Amino acid sequence: MIKIEGIQKSFGGEPVLKDVSFSMTESGTLSVLGKSGCGKTTLLKILAGLEMPDSGKFLLNEQNLFEKPAQERGVVYLSQEPLLFPHLNIFENIAFGLRIRRTPEQEVQNKVKALSAELGIQDHLQKMPTQISGGQRQRVSFGRALIINPSIMLLDEPFSSLDVQTRDEMQKLYKSVSAEHKITALFVTHDLKEAIIMGDALALMEKGTLKKYGSMSEFINDPTSGVKEAFDFWQDVMDKNLADKFGTS
């Protein structure tokens, strides 16, 4: 069990996170929906060890990970940009985490080749990051994170910079790979549709506070989630388009 307890964070006296508390089960993805500036990226950076909280706990099997250095938490943070090492080819980018752990060479070769095939980038291993597309670079970034078998993955709108088709492909790939590898992840997004697609559980973040829902129906029926408003909007659009096309009212 993963528990976040009472995380608070302020910048310049301005509260950004206000007593954020929730729990997650292992081998599942919690989608956190929130607008820009609501505090979701700050939360991920604190969990990843890139920022320090003012107070709170991050518990994994009752151990407070805030008491451990970032590199020892087993937590991987992925942002919108892949941030690959430009001087390393695709193989070495994926292998990086294994290299610094001094993994035997044959094991490195086997793991990188198997994972790259699963991610559909096996034909690009000798290329440099500048020689592949944005979607392929995001796959490489995902592979580099996944290959070290992290306890938790933190995904900060990882597909938002991609075009619509590539984003759809990456969402489907993530769902497939996360199920296969039993990934435990926190997936933040400002996109309602993406939150619903990606999450096994759902939460809403507003003005530094986080509310986790017990079920999909609870999320849909909460007026603050925006689901009903979005459904009503698209229903109105479809009704209008049908009326314009067929001359009905």
Side-chain angles (χ1 to χ4, degrees):
M1 178 67 72
I2 298 157
K3 295 180 182 179
I4 310 301
E5 296 184 353
I7 292 183
Q8 300 195 67
K9 180 67 177 180
S10 295
F11 292 106
E14 183 70 24
V16 177
L17 298 178
K18 306 170 186 176
D19 194 26
V20 173
S21 301
F22 61 94
S23 62
M24 294 171 56
T25 55
E26 292 185 282
S27 303
T29 297
L30 173 62
S31 282
V32 178
L33 177 67
K35 299 177 181 178
S36 297
C38 70
K40 56 189 189 297
T41 293
T42 299
L43 174 62
L44 293 194
K45 287 184 175 181
I46 286 174
L47 299 182
L50 302 176
E51 295 277 359
M52 290 294 294
D54 296 333
S55 61
K57 294 180 180 180
F58 177 17
L59 301 172
L60 175 61
N61 299 324
E62 302 303 323
Q63 182 179 24
N64 187 6
L65 296 186
F66 286 155
E67 297 174 352
K68 304 182 74 171
Q71 66 272 19
E72 296 178 12
R73 294 181 185 181
V75 176
V76 173
Y77 174 77
L78 292 181
S79 63
Q80 296 177 21
E81 298 301 324
L83 301 178
L84 304 181
F85 298 114
H87 61 292
L88 298 179
N89 65 18
I90 302 311
F91 183 99
E92 292 301 333
N93 261 283
I94 297 174
F96 182 79
L98 300 178
R99 297 290 192 203
I100 62 176
R101 288 165 174 75
R102 301 185 183 278
T103 305
E105 182 61 29
Q106 191 57 56
E107 186 177 346
V108 172
Q109 293 288 330
N110 293 343
K111 285 188 173 182
V112 172
K113 289 176 181 176
L115 184 55
S116 64
E118 192 173 349
L119 296 174
I121 49 176
Q122 68 272 24
D123 295 331
H124 305 287
L125 293 179
Q126 299 309 311
K127 294 180 180 179
M128 304 302 287
T130 55
Q131 296 176 304
I132 60 177
S133 69
Q136 289 167 338
R137 286 194 292 272
Q138 198 61 275
R139 290 174 187 236
V140 175
S141 180
F142 188 44
R144 185 174 63 186
L146 185 58
I147 204 163
I148 61 172
N149 192 31
S151 299
I152 305 168
M153 294 184 72
L154 308 172
L155 298 106
D156 191 0
E157 306 201 48
F159 312 141
S160 63
S161 63
L162 304 175
D163 62 77
V164 174
Q165 181 177 343
T166 305
R167 184 172 185 168
D168 181 64
E169 291 172 355
M170 287 302 299
Q171 289 170 346
K172 291 175 181 176
L173 176 67
Y174 173 80
K175 293 294 286 184
S176 172
V177 172
S178 64
E180 176 67 24
H181 291 268
K182 296 180 171 56
I183 293 172
T184 303
L186 199 60
F187 190 108
V188 307
T189 178
H190 66 270
D191 185 277
L192 174 60
K193 176 185 173 184
E194 185 169 66
I196 293 172
I197 290 172
M198 304 307 291
D200 300 303
L202 291 150
L204 179 67
M205 197 157 193
E206 288 187 299
K207 298 179 181 179
T209 64
L210 185 143
K211 177 181 180 181
K212 184 184 174 188
Y213 295 89
S215 66
M216 178 68 74
S217 61
E218 184 183 344
F219 175 72
I220 291 172
N221 292 319
D222 183 351
T224 62
S225 71
V227 178
K228 188 176 186 305
E229 183 180 350
F231 284 175
D232 289 345
F233 171 77
W234 285 112
Q235 187 63 57
D236 288 345
V237 170
M238 291 178 66
D239 289 345
K240 184 178 185 303
N241 286 343
L242 288 172
D244 290 346
K245 186 173 183 179
F246 297 105
T248 60
S249 58

